């Protein structure tokens, strides 16, 4: 049995809450802190503030026993051997990460440290944040023998966060000495030795007793860069296939076939080669910008990252122009917008391409009815001032009398629409699919005019291929 470690997790968002629940499931004693009193109250009373598979059952199992919630950071730090910082690191005006939440937390931690404590950067931060945390602790009078700072970036994806956390491709630990690395080894031992996977009620995934999770120990700087470089690389793959999609369309090729052909090369791999509206969310956009900023600061030319961002922004324009090409004018047109979250299986709408596109359509005079399986409450707050935007309870209600149906998020539910019911609901059978969830030939057979990304569109009867609208 691995030794239990007392852990404090600061921040109960997508990363902090998932980490807290998973550490508890791994056998540790966890205090999860947030300065959002309403969120702490909700968590204490049994609520789950984010939409993530397995999270409700893990919280139900451990809440009040091996994981507790509080807004009292001081007490939580005092009682913990390791303090994980999992607060937000949003994009600042210059493109650099805004680290003020991290600094504020470190200043608070400094007042409370009594015994040797490992401070762990779980938030995504630029290289040398580790040094800054050390410096802030010194400035607040914490002796250097009372703490170490370790980088332990998180690679989970929203929508599959719990499984990703407990079955990671790798656990990266950036430590400057053995003492602090050892505490992280103890924390992750149930995953790296495999004992977690032998538990009868363990969350299932790709790791097993025989093939447990791998840990890579590096310097703090390398660990910090691994996280930024990983996200930038994945964003680059998405922008690459989107640029290929636009080319494919211009030469009557099919990006789905091309992606398959590229992805079968084991050196490249098929993941993150899905043409669409581009990446969004709280991570890729800001991490690409922050990584680019770090390179610029150090005098390193990393222009590639700027191009990745530009291609991503272009995809929204590309889609908007497809809507205009299919519908001619937009004023007064009724559009069903399927999807508000930045990707399927999450309620997160931060930097969602869908939200940006809906706003643009509304500016152009369209009347939009939106539906999302989980993100409607968040969207209602963000889009509260929008007139001409309504919400529906399901796909078919959204599509009622619509001039066109737009697929904006790759929810599994949207890949399994009852097309016969849909065609009865709409005014015109036109689907503009920003996520390539259907086969053009099949959609044509079913009676739809179907426009997607990087593929030839299929039209019905007299609907000749329309001219591309000027940008
Ligand atoms: P989030 O906004 O969902 O959660 C952050 C939480 O921190 C909020 O609940 C907020 O109230 C709390 N907080 C802020 N200041 C605080 C303070 N002083 N004391 C206590 N709590 C405080 O953010 P997130 O999506 O969980 O991301 C956190 C970090 O992890 C970011 O750096 C992000 O880039 C990184 N990350 C996110 C993901 C993801 O998929 N969301 C994946 C990997 C890494």
């Amino acid at each position: 049995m691995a030794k239990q470690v007392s852990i404090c997790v600061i921040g109960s968002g997508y990363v902090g809450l998932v980490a807290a629940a998973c550490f508890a499931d791994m056998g540790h004693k966890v205090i999860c802190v947030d300065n959002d009193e309403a969120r702490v109250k909700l968590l204490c009373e049994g609520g789950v503030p984010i939409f993530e598979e397995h999270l409700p059952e893990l919280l139900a199992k451990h809440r009040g026993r091996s994981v507790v919630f509080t807004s009292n950071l001081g007490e939580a730090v005092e009682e913990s051997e390791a303090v994980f910082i999992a607060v937000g690191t949003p994009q600042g005006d210059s493109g650099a990460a805004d680290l003020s939440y991290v600094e504020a937390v470190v200043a608070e931690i400094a007042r409370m440290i009594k015994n040797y404590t490992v401070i762990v950067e779980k938030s995504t931060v630029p290289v040398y944040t580790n040094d800054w945390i050390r410096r802030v602790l010194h400035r607040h009078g914490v002796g250097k023998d009372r703490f170490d700072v370790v980088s332990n970036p998180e690679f989970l994806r929203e929508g599959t966060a719990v499984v990703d956390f407990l079955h990671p491709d790798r656990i990266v630990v950036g430590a400057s000495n053995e003492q602090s690395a050892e505490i992280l080894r103890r924390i992750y031992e149930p995953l790296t030795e495999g004992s977690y996977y032998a538990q009868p009620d363990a969350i299932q995934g790709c790791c097993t007793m025989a093939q447990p999770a791998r840990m890579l120990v590096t310097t703090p700087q390398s660990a910090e860069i691994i996280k930024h470089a990983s996200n930038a690389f994945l964003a680059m793959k998405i922008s690459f296939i989107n640029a290929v999609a636009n080319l494919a369309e211009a030469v009557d090729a099919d990006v789905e076939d091309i992606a398959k052909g590229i992805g079968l090369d084991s050196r490249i791999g098929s993941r993150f080669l899905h043409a669409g509206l581009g990446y969004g969310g709280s991570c890729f956009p800001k991490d690409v910008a922050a990584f680019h900023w770090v390179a610029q600061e150090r005098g390193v030319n990393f222009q590639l990252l700027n191009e990745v961002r530009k291609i991503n922004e272009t995809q929204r324009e590309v889609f908007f122009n497809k809507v205009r090409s299919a519908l001619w004018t937009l004023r007064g047109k009724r559009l069903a917008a399927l999807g508000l979250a930045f990707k399927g299986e999450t309620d997160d709408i931060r930097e969602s391409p869908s939200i940006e596109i809906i706003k643009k359509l509304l500016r152009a005079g369209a009347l939009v009815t939106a539906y999302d399986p989980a993100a409607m409450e968040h969207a209602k707050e963000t889009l509260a001032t929008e007139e001409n935007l309504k919400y529906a309870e399901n796909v078919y209600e959204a599509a009622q009398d619509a001039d066109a149906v737009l697929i904006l998020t790759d929810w599994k539910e949207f890949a399994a629409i009852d097309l016969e019911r849909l065609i009865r609901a709409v005014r015109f059978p036109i689907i503009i699919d920003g996520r390539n969830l259907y086969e053009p030939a099949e959609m044509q057979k079913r009676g739809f005019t179907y426009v997607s990304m990087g593929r030839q569109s299929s039209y019905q009867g007299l609907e000749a291929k329309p001219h591309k609208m000027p940008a």
Side-chain angles (χ1 to χ4, degrees):
M1 185 70 183
K3 192 171 174 301
Q4 190 181 59
V5 181
S6 316
I7 295 173
C8 166
V9 179
I10 303 176
S12 63
Y14 288 88
V15 168
L17 187 56
V18 169
C22 291
F23 283 144
D25 211 40
M26 287 155 63
H28 300 303
K29 193 168 159 278
V30 187
I31 307 178
C32 188
V33 185
D34 207 294
N35 62 356
D36 178 340
E37 300 276 356
R39 181 171 276 242
V40 173
K41 184 165 180 286
L42 178 80
L43 282 161
C44 290
E45 288 171 353
V48 186
I50 57 172
F51 179 84
E52 261 323 315
E53 200 186 359
H54 301 302
L55 191 57
E57 65 244 41
L58 286 191
L59 289 176
K61 188 166 149 197
H62 300 295
R63 184 186 278 112
R65 288 177 283 276
S66 41
V67 63
V68 295
F69 298 97
T70 179
S71 52
N72 188 336
L73 188 142
E75 268 177 32
V77 168
E78 253 180 10
E79 288 176 26
S80 303
E81 287 172 78
V83 176
F84 284 73
I85 301 175
V87 298
T89 50
Q91 187 174 331
D93 294 338
S94 62
D98 173 357
L99 298 172
S100 54
Y101 298 102
V102 174
E103 184 175 359
V105 163
V106 174
E108 276 194 76
I109 294 172
R111 289 193 288 116
M112 303 315 299
I113 290 190
K114 298 271 178 319
N115 305 312
Y116 173 77
T117 309
V118 176
I119 315 293
V120 189
E121 303 168 352
K122 197 61 162 161
S123 299
T124 301
V125 290
V127 64
Y128 284 130
T129 299
N130 195 280
D131 265 10
W132 273 109
I133 295 179
R134 211 181 295 276
R135 229 174 281 176
V136 171
L137 289 165
H138 270 305
R139 284 179 188 169
H140 284 80
V142 187
K144 64 177 187 298
D145 53 334
R146 274 197 289 151
F147 73 91
D148 273 307
V149 185
V150 172
S151 166
N152 172 223
E154 183 50 56
F155 300 97
L156 63 77
R157 295 158 299 169
E158 288 175 23
T160 50
V162 168
V163 173
D164 289 346
F165 192 96
L166 292 167
H167 297 264
D169 290 334
R170 76 300 205 192
I171 297 159
V172 174
V173 171
S176 48
N177 61 32
E178 193 42 43
Q179 185 182 10
S180 55
E182 189 47 35
I183 293 197
L184 270 287
R185 284 201 185 90
R186 265 172 46 209
I187 290 174
Y188 285 106
E189 195 182 295
L191 306 186
T192 56
E193 300 284 310
S195 60
Y196 174 76
Y197 309 112
Q199 289 178 24
D201 54 353
I203 300 288
Q204 297 298 310
C206 59
C207 294
T208 58
M209 257 308 252
Q211 275 198 315
R214 284 173 294 196
M215 179 180 277
L216 174 68
V217 180
T218 69
T219 64
Q221 286 94 304
S222 297
E224 287 165 338
I225 289 201
I226 286 170
K227 175 62 192 176
H228 264 165
S230 299
N231 274 6
F233 190 85
L234 294 171
M236 179 183 74
K237 254 184 126 177
I238 295 171
S239 280
F240 184 85
I241 199 64
N242 280 333
V244 171
N246 296 337
L247 179 61
E249 216 169 301
V251 299
D252 285 350
D254 183 321
V255 74
E256 294 299 321
D257 288 341
I258 297 169
K260 199 182 277 172
I262 303 171
L264 283 171
D265 185 327
S266 58
R267 294 168 301 177
I268 297 173
S270 59
R271 294 170 77 188
F272 284 79
L273 283 184
H274 300 293
L277 300 178
Y279 56 80
S282 67
C283 292
F284 285 3
K286 79 166 172 64
D287 291 347
V288 170
F291 200 30
H292 188 229
W293 185 87
V294 166
Q296 270 183 320
E297 277 287 288
R298 299 275 150 182
V300 174
N301 180 345
F302 211 156
Q303 201 52 29
L304 172 66
L305 297 178
N306 214 17
E307 296 304 320
V308 167
R309 177 186 59 77
K310 281 198 223 157
I311 295 171
N312 197 54
E313 286 168 5
T314 304
Q315 280 316 97
R316 293 145 204 220
E317 287 295 319
V318 168
F319 183 83
F320 182 77
N321 286 331
K322 280 175 187 287
V323 180
R324 286 206 305 155
S325 291
L327 296 179
W328 193 14
T329 64
L330 291 178
R331 188 159 302 282
K333 294 274 164 70
R334 304 179 79 88
L335 303 176
L338 303 187
L340 294 158
F342 81 93
K343 65 171 188 176
E345 325 309 315
T346 179
D347 61 349
D348 197 344
I349 59 161
R350 291 177 285 184
E351 300 288 326
S352 171
S354 163
I355 299 286
E356 198 182 315
I357 288 165
I358 288 172
K359 281 186 181 168
K360 215 166 150 55
L361 293 165
L362 291 168
R363 295 290 91 79
L367 313 172
V368 178
T369 305
Y371 165 68
D372 187 285
M376 292 212 286
E377 289 314 310
H378 291 316
K380 281 177 188 169
E381 286 165 27
T382 302
L383 301 171
T385 57
E386 295 293 350
E387 290 170 14
N388 298 331
L389 173 60
K390 289 194 303 188
Y391 297 90
E393 288 299 310
N394 57 49
V395 168
Y396 313 98
E397 191 186 313
Q400 194 62 46
D401 299 323
D403 290 285
V405 174
L406 316 182
I407 301 180
L408 302 174
T409 305
D410 56 349
W411 276 95
K412 285 186 198 136
E413 181 179 327
F414 298 159
I417 294 173
D418 177 344
L419 296 172
E420 282 177 22
R421 192 170 162 198
L422 187 74
I423 211 162
R424 284 199 302 274
V426 293
R427 180 161 182 241
F428 297 121
I430 300 172
I431 296 184
I432 305 159
D433 181 357
R435 300 294 181 175
N436 287 3
L437 299 186
Y438 291 93
E439 283 301 319
E442 173 67 14
M443 296 308 272
Q444 186 168 33
K445 250 198 294 175
R446 300 285 205 127
F448 288 96
T449 284
Y450 179 73
V451 179
S452 56
M453 308 295 281
R455 303 187 290 180
Q456 298 316 299
S457 303
S458 53
Y459 298 94
Q460 293 300 318
L462 292 176
E463 288 220 358
K465 185 173 180 170
H467 297 294
K468 278 218 163 79
M469 300 293 276

